[in-house]
Amino acid sequence: PPPLDESYWTAKENMVSTEQHVLRMIRFDTTVCHPHRCVLIIMKTLGFGTGRNHGSDGNNADGEKQQHATNNCLLDCDQSENIIVRAWRILNETPLDPQGVALLYPVIVLSCAAISLAAKGMGSESKNEDDDGSIIALPDFWWRALDVTTEDINMAGEA
């Protein structure tokens, strides 16, 4: 334990004062919105697919396994699953970035940038035999449907 001398109490007082200042600046709102969930919402909303393990439980009313319906999705299950897994890998490393990318951009921008990078094959460095690291084609400028600019995607993707 540290010695309880005057320097300890001064440091403690400074730390508590700084914490109070930060809490006032953020209006005591400590909720966190993670971009991982946003990736799934974007994939589903834009019709890119929800992968193999996301969405419904895969059972019909009789409890029998059913095939994933891909007729309404732009990508097949394997492609959408690869994008989701790659995007999550990219996002898992984002908080470790020394530039603080996770704090600089809104969740929607981070999620769109991760999906964009994942579609280009980034984030596929794994032991997943189903993912060959190939590029997966998405519609041009798909992020504009979410009011995200190309400049934001490029800046977040480069960081």
Side-chain angles (χ1 to χ4, degrees), residues 24-119:
R24 284 188 196 104
M25 292 292 290
I26 63 172
R27 297 186 186 124
F28 291 86
D29 181 9
T30 57
T31 56
V32 176
C33 183
H34 295 281
H36 298 75
R37 183 168 184 260
C38 192
V39 165
L40 295 177
I41 293 169
I42 291 169
M43 294 289 288
K44 183 176 182 179
T45 301
L46 296 181
F48 295 161
T50 55
R52 286 180 248 128
N53 301 318
H54 309 286
S56 70
D57 64 358
N59 294 326
N60 63 16
D62 298 327
E64 299 172 0
K65 283 288 185 188
Q66 64 184 12
Q67 292 294 331
H68 183 75
T70 58
N71 53 357
N72 293 332
C73 297
L74 295 173
L75 306 174
D76 65 33
C77 289
D78 290 334
Q79 289 175 320
S80 62
E81 181 75 13
N82 285 342
I83 287 181
I84 291 168
V85 169
R86 292 175 190 175
W88 280 33
R89 264 192 218 114
I90 292 166
L91 291 171
N92 284 342
E93 295 181 10
T94 302
L96 304 175
D97 179 41
Q99 297 173 345
V101 174
L103 301 174
L104 294 176
Y105 299 100
V107 171
I108 188 81
V109 172
L110 290 175
S111 300
C112 287
I115 291 170
S116 179
L117 291 172

